[in-house]
Amino acid sequence: MRIGILMLVHTAFDRAAQVAQYWAAAGCPVVIHVDEKVPDQAFSRFQSALSEVVQISFCDRHSCEWGMWGIVAATQSAAEQMLSQHDDVTHVYLLSGSCLPLRPVSDLKDYLAARPETDFIESATTADVPWTVGGLSAERFTLRFPFSWKKHRLLFDGYVRWQRRLGLRRRFPVGLKPHMGSQWWCLTRKTLSAVLTDPDRPAIDRYFKRVWIPDESYFQTLVRRHSKEIESRSLTLSKFDHQGRPHIFYEDHLSLLRRSDCFVARKIWPQAEGLYQAFLGARAETADHAQPNPGKIDRVFSHAMERRLRGRAGLYMQSRFPYRQGQTGVTAAPYAVFQGFSDFYEGFEPWLTQVSDRVVHGHLFASDRVEYAGRHSITQGTMSDNVRIRDYDPESFLTNLLWNSRDARHCFQFSPRDEQPIAQLMAYDVNAQISVIAGAWALRLCRSDLDFNLLRKEAARLQKREAAFLSLLRSPWVKARVRIWSMADFIEAPQENLRSCLTDLGVSGTPDLPDQTSLDGFGHFLQDLKNHGMHPYVMGDFPVEGEALSREVSPSLGKPYIVQ
């Protein structure tokens, strides 16, 4: 059993030399291809650094461009040189200069010796490949791609559109079915030799020279013709992001790489000195028969991918600004909003603090200051009670407040008197629990000694604001949990209604309820508003004192209801 190593190198030559020497020291001949675009001076230095290692040689150079034929041509040249110079090589392993062996070479030899006729190459039909990003899955075989996607994007896209418009299609070589997979493989000498000496190779090469990304389909297709036994997976650990770009492994990935039990990993950051020392340093050549299992770390990468794409609920940052239609919440933790309760109940805020384990704020969006719990001027996260800072970006203010103390559960009061731009975020936030006693704001006006004309104007302004908020909460797209009562509805069963709110907060038992604000004279006040041309409707129908309490409710409000 002898393994030959093919290395495709175009950068980080010191690391490539270090890895090549490691393979050679373990008895593996190494053939290196260096990209023709590498300056001659850099190539000469790299070649000189390895000139004394007998097991290492260099093949003819080709210009390699991502997605183009040059990478396949480089692989062919290196493979042909390996087979011609080393008759005793039984398996050929294709690597890049950024690959790093994770296990002793003896482990790899034992593993391949137990499977002498198995070719390890990812090879799947185009219909079964889920990782194709950006389209051109089947079309990469039916259209021509003479232009570089990276260097000549306009020509690339224009030529694709032109072929589609004319309905041009290429015929796949007879006797072959297109397959795709990872570029990095380990083939038996017999299979690789059969691929390189295929009698139809000139025609096949001409065809694949105009296939897009042929390094992921050329060998993957031809092994299906010549291989006796294929195991459709790569022995090289490589991970890709949602855009099809490879993950780079850094020093803090050391434990993950060891856990994978894979033989080789790609792509390693050249400055990850700790990884190169850990895996290339002196270590016992003890046989480890563990199966390569990249699935052991798939969960970690899947979680990282999800975090990158979706972020964390409630976390706003420069690099990833959450969008409201996203599946993650716009805030970091559940919170409760009470509108009208501090008007309807005496001392509602300190009472709620006493009976619940919540952080109970006052009116966070009051016009004069931010009423934090305890009326502190600075709260967690060094957030100030300055309204100018809050009103610069109210949504970020609320999301930052909840993020900074996301282990706590917050409640705060809201009112038509408060600044309203935050209303839409709360309505569309799955973390929000909003309870409203509509029209309760009028109780404070009822006891005001302001001129009645000013009271009427203020009542009209507040009712207009609350009506807009209620309309928003009744939208079919609202994601918050919403409870709405008119005042007329709420006073029919105030204890039952308040306890339903406490249940939503997780308050158990039957705590003593706070005292209600007196409703004396409230009916007369509403009637006076009507008499002066203002129609108060959000609070329901209240009788003038001495008349029976009407149970009729404004049709625009209806009975209390819950929006899930």
Side-chain angles (χ1 to χ4, degrees):
M1 168 59 62
R2 197 176 190 204
I3 305 171
I5 303 298
L6 310 181
M7 291 184 62
L8 306 183
V9 181
H10 69 280
T11 186
F13 300 107
D14 55 339
R15 291 303 188 190
Q18 188 178 358
V19 173
Q21 288 171 332
Y22 174 85
W23 287 108
C28 300
V30 180
V31 176
I32 300 176
H33 175 273
V34 179
D35 193 337
E36 193 176 35
K37 296 192 297 296
V38 173
D40 291 340
Q41 187 175 5
F43 172 67
S44 298
R45 287 197 302 267
F46 179 49
Q47 195 174 30
S48 298
L50 298 173
S51 59
E52 296 183 0
V53 184
V54 179
Q55 297 275 31
I56 298 177
S57 61
F58 291 80
C59 68
D60 294 339
R61 300 169 64 187
H62 299 265
S63 179
C64 298
E65 180 74 29
W66 182 86
M68 305 297 287
W69 172 254
I71 298 177
V72 178
T75 306
Q76 290 175 333
S77 294
E80 289 169 345
Q81 182 167 315
M82 174 65 70
L83 297 180
S84 64
Q85 293 181 354
H86 302 279
D87 295 336
D88 56 344
V89 164
T90 59
H91 290 75
V92 179
Y93 201 147
L94 177 63
L95 303 173
S96 75
S98 61
C99 288
L100 178 65
L102 304 182
R103 292 168 61 176
V105 178
S106 60
D107 283 6
L108 178 59
K109 290 181 178 179
D110 292 342
Y111 188 82
L112 295 178
R115 303 158 180 82
E117 296 185 341
T118 302
D119 295 294
F120 293 91
I121 181 170
E122 201 170 49
S123 175
T125 60
T126 55
D128 299 323
V129 174
W131 57 81
T132 301
V133 176
L136 297 177
S137 178
E139 283 185 321
R140 65 178 64 196
F141 299 107
T142 60
L143 303 181
R144 289 177 173 81
F145 299 91
F147 304 108
S148 168
W149 182 84
K150 285 191 173 183
K151 288 186 176 181
H152 306 290
R153 184 64 182 272
L154 291 178
L155 286 174
F156 182 96
D157 292 341
Y159 196 60
V160 168
R161 288 194 297 268
W162 179 76
Q163 292 178 88
R164 288 171 175 170
R165 190 177 301 117
L166 295 182
L168 300 179
R169 292 180 62 86
R170 304 176 69 197
R171 291 184 178 181
F172 203 76
V174 177
L176 293 178
K177 183 177 181 181
H179 284 72
M180 296 170 57
S182 170
Q183 174 188 356
W184 313 109
W185 41 254
C186 180
L187 301 179
T188 63
R189 180 187 188 93
K190 180 179 179 181
T191 299
L192 182 58
S193 178
V195 169
L196 296 175
T197 59
D198 190 303
D200 297 327
R201 179 179 163 184
I204 293 173
D205 286 3
R206 282 196 302 272
Y207 172 82
F208 274 95
K209 283 180 180 180
R210 290 295 179 260
V211 168
W212 193 42
I213 321 181
D215 52 283
E216 293 182 355
S217 58
Y218 180 84
F219 290 95
Q220 293 76 2
T221 298
L222 288 176
V223 293
R224 291 290 174 177
R225 170 182 283 188
H226 301 288
S227 178
K228 181 177 180 181
E229 181 179 348
I230 293 178
E231 193 160 327
S232 183
R233 63 186 177 95
S234 175
L235 297 180
T236 300
L237 172 65
S238 58
K239 296 293 180 181
F240 296 87
D241 63 15
H242 66 289
Q243 295 177 322
R245 294 180 297 190
H247 281 290
I248 298 176
F249 292 101
Y250 299 92
E251 289 193 8
D252 51 357
H253 292 120
L254 176 60
S255 61
L256 286 177
L257 293 175
R258 282 178 171 159
R259 196 188 315 166
S260 72
D261 291 327
C262 291
F263 293 109
V264 177
R266 182 185 184 275
K267 226 177 167 175
I268 308 297
W269 185 48
Q271 279 69 51
E273 181 65 31
L275 294 183
Y276 283 92
Q277 288 183 0
F279 293 110
L280 299 184
R283 53 185 170 177
E285 296 288 315
T286 56
D288 182 355
H289 299 290
Q291 282 278 352
N293 187 8
K296 290 182 179 179
I297 64 174
D298 280 347
R299 180 182 58 83
V300 178
F301 281 88
S302 296
H303 180 69
M305 182 77 71
E306 182 180 7
R307 175 71 60 84
R308 178 180 178 183
L309 294 178
R310 301 178 63 187
R312 282 177 280 180
L315 177 60
Y316 285 54
M317 64 181 73
Q318 180 182 8
S319 61
R320 189 202 66 83
F321 200 79
Y323 54 97
R324 190 161 299 153
Q325 291 75 20
Q327 295 180 2
T328 54
V330 292
T331 53
Y335 60 97
V337 182
F338 292 94
Q339 176 158 316
F341 285 77
S342 57
D343 296 310
F344 191 84
Y345 288 104
E346 300 286 351
F348 176 76
E349 184 184 333
W351 171 83
L352 186 58
T353 302
Q354 182 179 359
V355 302
S356 71
D357 60 351
R358 301 290 178 119
V359 178
V360 183
H361 303 281
H363 290 262
L364 290 178
F365 295 90
S367 58
D368 55 343
R369 67 166 295 188
V370 180
E371 297 179 357
Y372 293 125
R375 297 303 183 267
H376 300 296
S377 59
I378 300 291
T379 192
Q380 195 166 357
T382 65
M383 295 184 65
S384 168
D385 65 350
N386 187 296
V387 296
R388 293 182 63 187
I389 298 176
R390 178 201 67 192
D391 294 342
Y392 178 78
D393 190 342
E395 295 187 355
S396 292
F397 166 81
L398 180 58
T399 54
N400 286 341
L401 175 67
L402 297 173
W403 174 264
N404 292 336
S405 51
R406 52 193 176 278
D407 293 332
R409 292 294 181 264
H410 294 261
C411 300
F412 64 90
Q413 320 306 312
F414 196 61
S415 166
R417 301 182 186 88
D418 297 341
E419 300 299 324
Q420 300 295 301
I422 196 63
Q424 191 174 41
L425 180 141
M426 296 190 303
Y428 290 100
D429 186 8
V430 295
N431 284 326
Q433 176 187 315
I434 305 175
S435 303
V436 180
I437 304 177
W441 49 265
L443 289 170
R444 188 177 301 184
L445 291 180
C446 179
R447 284 153 183 76
S448 173
D449 56 359
L450 290 176
D451 179 78
F452 192 80
N453 286 328
L454 295 178
L455 286 178
R456 183 184 62 79
K457 291 180 181 180
E458 180 67 2
R461 184 181 74 89
L462 296 180
Q463 180 169 253
K464 184 177 180 180
R465 278 190 166 192
E466 184 166 68
F469 185 52
L470 296 179
S471 177
L472 175 63
L473 295 182
R474 291 189 173 95
S475 167
W477 297 281
V478 166
K479 297 181 180 179
R481 178 178 172 82
V482 178
R483 292 180 182 269
I484 301 175
W485 296 270
S486 69
M487 270 191 64
D489 284 328
F490 194 85
I491 62 175
E492 290 184 2
Q495 295 184 355
E496 178 184 341
N497 295 329
L498 182 56
R499 284 201 171 97
S500 67
C501 296
L502 295 180
T503 300
D504 291 341
L505 294 180
V507 177
S508 58
T510 55
D512 294 335
L513 301 182
D515 295 331
Q516 294 182 27
T517 301
S518 174
L519 297 179
D520 293 344
F522 188 64
H524 279 293
F525 172 71
L526 296 181
Q527 185 60 49
D528 286 343
L529 290 176
K530 294 178 183 179
N531 294 342
H532 285 76
M534 186 261 172
H535 177 58
Y537 61 89
V538 293
M539 60 284 296
D541 192 7
F542 276 82
V544 178
E545 281 72 2
E547 299 178 1
L549 179 64
S550 172
R551 291 184 177 270
E552 295 181 1
V553 181
S554 170
S556 63
L557 285 172
K559 290 294 183 181
Y561 68 100
I562 298 175
V563 179
Q564 295 288 353

